[in-house]
Amino acid sequence: MLSLVWFRRDLRVQDHPALSRAASEGPVLPVYIADPALLAGPDSSARHFAFLEESLRELREDLAAAGQPLILRAGDPVEVLARLKAKHRVTRIVTHPETGNRAARDRFTAVADWAREAGLEWLVLAEGQGVPLPVPMLEPVTEGTGVLPSARSLGLPEDPCPNRQRGGRSAGLAMLASYLATRGQGHAPGSATALSAERMGARLSPYMALGLISMAEIRATLAEARAERRGQPEWAGALRALASQLNARAGAHAAPLIQPEGTAATGPWAEGATGLPYVDAAIRALKATGWLDHRSRALLAAVGLHHLRLDPASVGLHLARLSTDYDPAIHWREIQRAAQGRIPDPVALGRKLDPDGSFLRRWLPELARIPDAHLHAPWLWPRARRLLAGRYPEPVLDPTQAAREARAIRARMAPVHEDDPLIEGPRIPRRRRPDGPQLSLDF
Ligand SMILES: Cc1cc2nc3c(=O)[nH]c(=O)nc-3n(C[C@H](O)[C@H](O)[C@H](O)COP(=O)(O)OP(=O)(O)OC[C@H]3O[C@@H](n4cnc5c(N)ncnc54)[C@H](O)[C@@H]3O)c2cc1C
C-alpha cells in the first residue's frame, strides 16, 4: 500500500498522526501542493509566502532525514494528486484536517470528493492531545522533489517586512525554549505593554499557524516547565497564560469559520496615517514585524470597525495580510469579537499599552520633538501643530466624538457577544431599537 500524505498547515514530522499512521503501514509519498489560487488569495501576502518557504525548506530536510524528502508541486490540488496517483500506485490519501480559510476548506472538500470518486481511501487524522508521537521512519519512493513557484510568479506584491519572525520549526522550538527558560519570567499578559508583550510573550503564533509545532508538543513541554517551576511565583503568569491561550486556540479551531468577503482596507487607517499616534504606531509595527500583541490588534480592529466604520472584511483582510501568523480560524473570530465587543478610547488604551511612549517613539520618529506628556494626543498641545506641520497628519477624527457616535449606533443594535475576557471594560447593555443607522456587522 502506498499512502500519499498531503501536507498543508501541519508542516512537521514530529507528532503528526497522518504521517505516523501512513508510515506504519507502508511507503509514503509526502506532498505539499502550492495552489496559486490560495497563495495569491485576498488574505495572502508575500510575507506569508516567505515564512512558508522557510518552513517548507526545513520540513523537506526533516522528511529527508526520516527517509523520504518532501515532494513539492504547484497547481490545482486535484490535478496534481491525480497525476501522482496515475504515476505511482497510490491507494490512499492520509491528511490533517483543514484549518485554513474558506477557499482552502472548499478545496479540501473538492479533493475529498475526487479521492473517493477515484477509488482512493481518504483518511483524515487530527492532532492527538496526549503524548506527542515520535518521528516515523519512511521507506523511500522515487519521485522528483520539485520546487516552489516564486512569490513574483504567483503575483504577490512586494511586501517588505524587515523584522519578521523567521520560518521553520527550529525557530519555533527556539522561541518556545527561550520563553520557558527566560523570556516569560514576570510576564503578565493581562497588563503587558506593547513592548513587554513583544519581548516577554510566547511569540509562537506563526509557528502554530503553519503547524510547525503541535499543540501536544507545546503542552508536554509546558507541563515539564510547570513541574520545574512549581513554587516560583514570577513564572506563574506566563505558564498559566500559555496554557489558557492554547485552550483558546483549540476553541477557535473547533468553532465554525466565519469569514466575510470583501477587499482589504486602504487609506489612513491601513497606512498608519490617522494622526492617532497609538493606532498609527501599531499598524506600522505590524507592517515592519508581522506581529503585534493581542490588545493592540484588538484596538486596531476596533478603531477600524467602530471609529472609522470600515467594514469587517476590509479590516480583517488588511490585518490578515500583515500578520505573519495569520490563522483564519483565530483571526476572523477575533475580528467578529472586535465588531461586537467594547468600543475603546484609542488614546486612553494607547497610554496603557505604552505608558512611557517608547513604542510610539520607536515607530513614529515624526513625533521626536513632542514631549512625553503630549505624545498620545499631540493635537491637544498648542505647539504641536507647528512642530508637526508637513510631517505628521492631524487626527482624521476626534476619538472621543467618534467613540460616542459608534456607541450611539451600537445602542440601536442588539449586542451579540458579551463574554470576551480579552476585551476590557464595561459591557454593552442588551437592548434593541431597530430604527436609525446601523453599523454593518454582516459576516
Ligand atoms: C484582531 C485580531 C486578530 C488576530 N489574528 C490572529 C491570527 O491571525 N493568528 C493568531 O495566531 N492569533 C491571532 N490573534 C490572537 C493573538 O493576538 C495572537 O495569537 C497573539 O498576539 C500571538 O502572540 P503570542 O504567540 O505571543 O501569543 P500568546 O498570547 O502567548 O498565546 C500562545 C498561542 O495561543 C494562541 N492564541 C493566543 N491568543 C489567542 C486567541 N485570542 N484565540 C485563539 N488562540 C490564541 C496562538 O496560537 C498563540 O501563539 C488575533 C487577535 C486579534 C485581536
Side-chain angles (χ1 to χ4, degrees):
M1 174 192 294
L2 175 62
S3 303
L4 187 152
V5 175
W6 182 26
F7 285 88
R8 293 179 317 284
R9 283 179 172 260
D10 51 336
L11 306 182
R12 60 178 186 277
V13 296
Q14 293 78 358
D15 194 33
H16 195 298
L19 185 66
S20 293
R21 171 78 172 270
S24 70
E25 294 173 4
V28 173
L29 210 53
V31 177
Y32 182 88
I33 304 168
D35 180 351
L38 292 185
L39 291 172
D43 50 356
S44 309
S45 61
R47 68 187 57 195
H48 297 159
F49 188 71
F51 189 89
L52 171 71
E53 243 181 339
E54 290 158 4
S55 303
L56 286 171
R57 207 173 298 142
E58 216 169 300
L59 175 64
R60 174 176 274 180
E61 286 164 15
D62 290 348
L63 279 163
Q68 166 63 52
L70 181 67
I71 290 152
L72 283 172
R73 291 290 179 271
D76 177 299
V78 168
E79 290 170 16
V80 171
L81 294 171
R83 276 197 297 274
L84 288 168
K85 172 187 180 287
K87 183 168 173 193
H88 299 274
R89 287 166 56 206
V90 174
T91 49
R92 69 171 172 185
I93 297 182
V94 194
T95 195
H96 190 266
E98 179 57 62
T99 57
N101 63 11
R102 171 86 48 235
R105 290 171 195 227
D106 291 347
R107 176 185 77 169
F108 188 71
T109 308
V111 171
D113 292 346
W114 163 81
R116 288 190 199 103
E117 275 168 29
L120 290 169
E121 189 189 340
W122 172 255
L123 190 56
V124 181
L125 294 176
E127 271 187 53
Q129 296 297 316
V131 181
L133 295 164
V135 179
M137 285 315 294
L138 305 175
E139 281 180 44
V141 181
T142 308
E143 174 63 33
T145 48
V147 288
L148 268 189
S150 66
R152 182 182 291 209
S153 73
L154 289 167
L156 290 167
E158 288 277 310
D159 178 27
C161 184
N163 305 330
R164 173 175 64 75
Q165 285 173 256
R166 295 296 110 195
R169 175 177 163 86
S170 51
L173 290 176
M175 198 57 97
L176 176 62
S178 68
Y179 181 63
L180 296 176
T182 49
R183 288 188 305 108
Q185 183 169 11
H187 182 43
S191 57
T193 64
L195 289 178
S196 74
E198 177 191 279
R199 211 176 46 250
M200 301 167 81
R203 307 293 307 270
L204 293 172
S205 48
Y207 310 104
M208 298 194 73
L210 283 191
L212 306 180
I213 317 179
S214 76
M215 293 270 275
E217 289 181 277
I218 300 180
R219 284 193 166 123
T221 312
L222 179 61
E224 282 169 23
R226 283 186 127 164
E228 272 171 33
R229 303 232 179 254
R230 194 160 291 135
Q232 298 180 26
E234 67 281 16
W235 277 96
L239 302 182
R240 205 178 319 112
L242 183 54
S244 92
Q245 300 300 43
L246 292 178
N247 291 340
R249 182 179 186 275
H253 277 247
L257 177 71
I258 307 154
Q259 183 185 349
E261 284 186 11
T263 51
T266 54
W269 174 83
E271 284 153 22
T274 62
L276 301 168
Y278 195 84
V279 174
D280 294 342
I283 276 279
R284 293 189 199 184
L286 185 57
K287 266 191 181 162
T289 68
W291 184 88
L292 204 56
D293 66 281
H294 182 84
R295 295 198 299 166
S296 299
R297 293 189 207 207
L299 174 61
L300 274 182
V303 169
L305 293 165
H306 298 296
H307 300 70
L308 289 159
R309 300 192 205 165
L310 302 173
D311 73 278
S314 70
V315 167
L317 286 172
H318 186 64
L319 295 179
R321 286 182 188 175
L322 292 180
S323 307
T324 313
D325 61 15
Y326 173 50
D327 180 323
I330 302 176
H331 185 78
W332 293 107
R333 193 163 129 119
E334 289 297 342
I335 294 293
Q336 188 191 30
R337 281 182 161 170
Q340 297 169 346
R342 182 188 173 226
I343 297 167
D345 173 340
V347 175
L349 188 49
R351 284 199 179 105
K352 277 192 191 170
L353 288 164
D354 186 28
D356 68 2
S358 324
F359 183 72
L360 293 196
R361 295 211 182 278
R362 184 200 284 180
W363 296 110
L364 298 175
E366 305 95 301
L367 302 192
R369 297 178 64 197
I370 303 294
D372 286 351
H374 303 290
L375 207 49
H376 281 271
W379 63 89
L380 297 177
W381 184 49
R383 288 179 57 199
R385 177 166 286 176
R386 190 172 49 80
L387 282 175
L388 296 180
R391 293 168 190 228
Y392 186 68
E394 301 259 332
V396 292
L397 49 79
D398 172 346
T400 313
Q401 177 66 16
R404 197 174 302 131
E405 285 170 13
R407 283 189 198 107
I409 293 171
R410 166 71 72 73
R412 296 187 193 101
M413 303 176 66
V416 206
H417 191 84
E418 293 194 301
D419 57 356
D420 183 359
L422 296 163
I423 294 179
E424 310 148 277
R427 301 300 174 195
I428 312 296
R430 279 190 186 278
R431 64 192 148 109
R432 183 180 181 87
R433 270 197 272 137
D435 52 329
Q438 298 209 345
L439 174 67
S440 164
L441 292 181
D442 294 338
F443 277 89

